[in-house]
Amino acid sequence: MDFLIYLLSAVTVQSALLAAVAWLCKGLVTHQLSKEMEAFKHQLQVEAARTNVIFAKLHERRAEVVAELYADMVDFEIAARKFTYLENEAAGTTQQFVEVMERALELQNFFNKHRIYFPEQLAVRIDTYQDELVEKLKELHSLSKFGRLPEELQGKLFTAWGSLIKHMNESLPLIKAELEASFRGLLGVHESDRADERADA
């Protein structure tokens, strides 16, 4: 009987020791995992902050590019309209044509360098607009640079002039509207916000 009591007490003590060791190991593992989890959470927070900074800078840069392209398009439009007006009055000069073409090239170069900031559909629309506009300007200039034209060429001149004006009037407002919407979107201003502001006024 003493042996049985001894055996039971030995098993009980060993079980208690094993339970204590298991509890201690579990506590150590849990503590270590908790420390690693905290370190991992901290690393995730650092990465999230870094990503937010990167996206904020890209967002800011995109807004700058959109605003600059818009301003360049307005400058180009003014120069092109001035040129077409002067051409229509038969007073356009080579110097004015050179100025318009320089603005066109500046606009095209700026856009090509920053094309990545624009959705593909808008980028294609801008490319098409610029290419067609430059061709129409060249055609108008080639017809008008000779001074007084024979009557049969005067019709072509006015057709070219009308085609250029029509192209600008149809295409440019759409592109500018898309750029405006893009810029407002970057600023967080949406059409519904603007409608609410107009309703409140």
Side-chain angles (χ1 to χ4, degrees):
M1 185 87 177
D2 287 338
F3 177 73
L4 190 56
I5 291 174
Y6 173 76
L7 186 61
L8 280 174
S9 64
V11 168
T12 304
V13 169
Q14 285 182 355
S15 295
L17 281 174
L18 281 174
V21 168
W23 179 82
L24 186 60
C25 287
K26 180 183 174 191
L28 287 172
V29 168
T30 302
H31 178 69
Q32 185 63 30
L33 285 175
S34 177
K35 280 176 59 177
E36 288 178 11
M37 184 64 94
E38 286 301 316
F40 183 67
K41 283 181 184 177
H42 177 71
Q43 184 63 29
L44 284 177
Q45 289 172 344
V46 168
E47 288 299 319
R50 184 179 304 144
T51 301
N52 285 341
V53 168
I54 289 170
F55 279 118
K57 286 182 180 179
L58 283 173
H59 200 69
E60 181 181 332
R61 179 66 181 135
R62 183 168 182 235
E64 290 170 0
V65 167
V66 170
E68 191 170 340
L69 180 68
Y70 188 88
D72 288 349
M73 288 191 97
V74 169
D75 289 343
F76 175 69
E77 179 185 18
I78 290 168
R81 287 190 187 282
K82 181 179 172 185
F83 174 74
T84 56
Y85 173 76
L86 291 172
E87 287 294 329
N88 190 40
E89 297 296 315
T93 65
T94 300
Q95 178 58 36
Q96 287 146 348
F97 177 73
V98 168
E99 180 185 331
V100 170
M101 293 308 288
E102 283 175 354
R103 286 191 184 269
L105 289 174
E106 288 170 8
L107 179 63
Q108 204 164 32
N109 287 339
F110 179 82
F111 175 71
N112 287 336
K113 288 178 185 175
H114 300 92
R115 182 186 183 97
I116 195 167
Y117 289 101
F118 298 94
E120 184 60 25
Q121 185 177 359
L122 177 58
V124 168
R125 186 172 290 138
I126 291 170
D127 280 337
T128 302
Y129 168 76
Q130 288 178 326
D131 292 344
E132 289 178 11
L133 191 60
V134 166
E135 286 306 311
K136 290 178 185 302
L137 281 166
K138 286 179 182 176
E139 180 184 6
L140 181 61
H141 183 64
S142 70
L143 286 169
S144 63
K145 68 182 177 181
F146 299 110
R148 187 123 180 103
L149 289 172
E151 199 169 306
E152 65 272 4
L153 289 181
Q154 284 182 4
K156 282 188 175 183
L157 174 65
F158 287 114
T159 300
W161 178 80
S163 175
L164 176 61
I165 295 298
K166 181 180 178 193
H167 178 67
M168 288 174 61
N169 288 341
E170 289 177 353
S171 300
L172 192 58
L174 297 174
I175 292 170
K176 286 168 60 178
E178 281 191 60
L179 289 172
E180 290 167 9
S182 177
F183 188 74
R184 288 186 184 108
L186 290 169
L187 296 178
V189 177
H190 301 286
E191 283 302 314
S192 59
D193 297 338
R194 294 178 65 223
D196 292 343
E197 288 173 9
R198 286 192 294 262
D200 291 341

